[in-house]
Amino acid sequence: MTRRFLTLFSVAALAGCGAPKSDYSGAYVGGDETALMQLHIVEGDGGQISGNLAVSQLDYAAGQVKLTTRPISGVRNGERFSLLAKASQWGAPDSPLSLEANGGSLVLLLPGTGQTLEMQRMGQAEYRGRLTEFAQALNANDVGLLPED
């Protein structure tokens, strides 16, 4: 009896030892000196993805950071994401986004240019710090550190 119980327990334990399914839900941040992007994704059943994309750009004429936010939806198939940033409600075209998981980060394949942008998983406090650093370029221009173009 004990032998049967141990055998059954062992089989049940081994069945639960499969590799855990990756969940990419969370916030990812990436950018350069021209734009800072924050991608929030929530992964649902069957690889369905929902969330939003926030793009911060420097508006030197207004002296502020311009923020554009778009809802996103799409699917994940293994390590690849096919998303759509929706903008039609503002009269702009929807934008397809293609991403690929790379360890703990996501790599955004920029449409039309073939360039890539690595987006790191990042908490809200870290993102605010990164946004503050990004906005410092506005102050640098005020004191003559950047060329007047």
Side-chain angles (χ1 to χ4, degrees):
M1 171 89 163
T2 303
R3 184 177 294 174
R4 286 186 198 167
F5 177 72
L6 288 175
T7 303
L8 186 58
F9 178 75
S10 297
V11 169
L14 287 174
C17 289
K21 180 183 176 217
S22 297
D23 183 1
Y24 293 97
S25 295
Y28 297 83
V29 177
D32 58 16
E33 63 278 348
T34 62
L36 184 64
M37 295 191 298
Q38 183 182 42
L39 175 66
H40 282 274
I41 58 174
V42 177
E43 187 170 358
D45 294 335
Q48 293 296 313
I49 302 289
S50 62
N52 65 56
L53 175 67
V55 179
S56 299
Q57 294 177 300
L58 300 176
D59 183 345
Y60 289 104
Q64 63 185 12
V65 176
K66 177 183 171 189
L67 176 67
T68 304
T69 304
R70 293 182 177 183
I72 60 156
S73 63
V75 295
R76 176 175 76 91
N77 184 4
E79 305 294 309
R80 298 188 185 274
F81 295 75
S82 293
L83 306 176
L84 188 64
K86 300 173 187 168
S88 57
Q89 65 265 37
W90 298 302
D94 292 343
S95 302
L97 303 172
S98 179
L99 296 109
E100 187 170 329
N102 182 12
S105 62
L106 297 177
V107 177
L108 173 64
L109 307 170
L110 300 173
T113 66
Q115 296 176 322
T116 60
L117 175 66
E118 185 172 3
M119 301 187 75
Q120 299 288 327
R121 191 178 285 253
M122 192 173 292
Q124 197 63 27
E126 292 173 289
Y127 169 67
R128 279 192 217 105
R130 183 104 182 256
L131 188 57
T132 300
E133 288 176 22
F134 178 69
Q136 290 302 314
L138 292 170
N139 295 334
N141 196 36
D142 289 343
V143 294
L145 299 177
L146 297 178
E148 303 262 343
D149 291 341

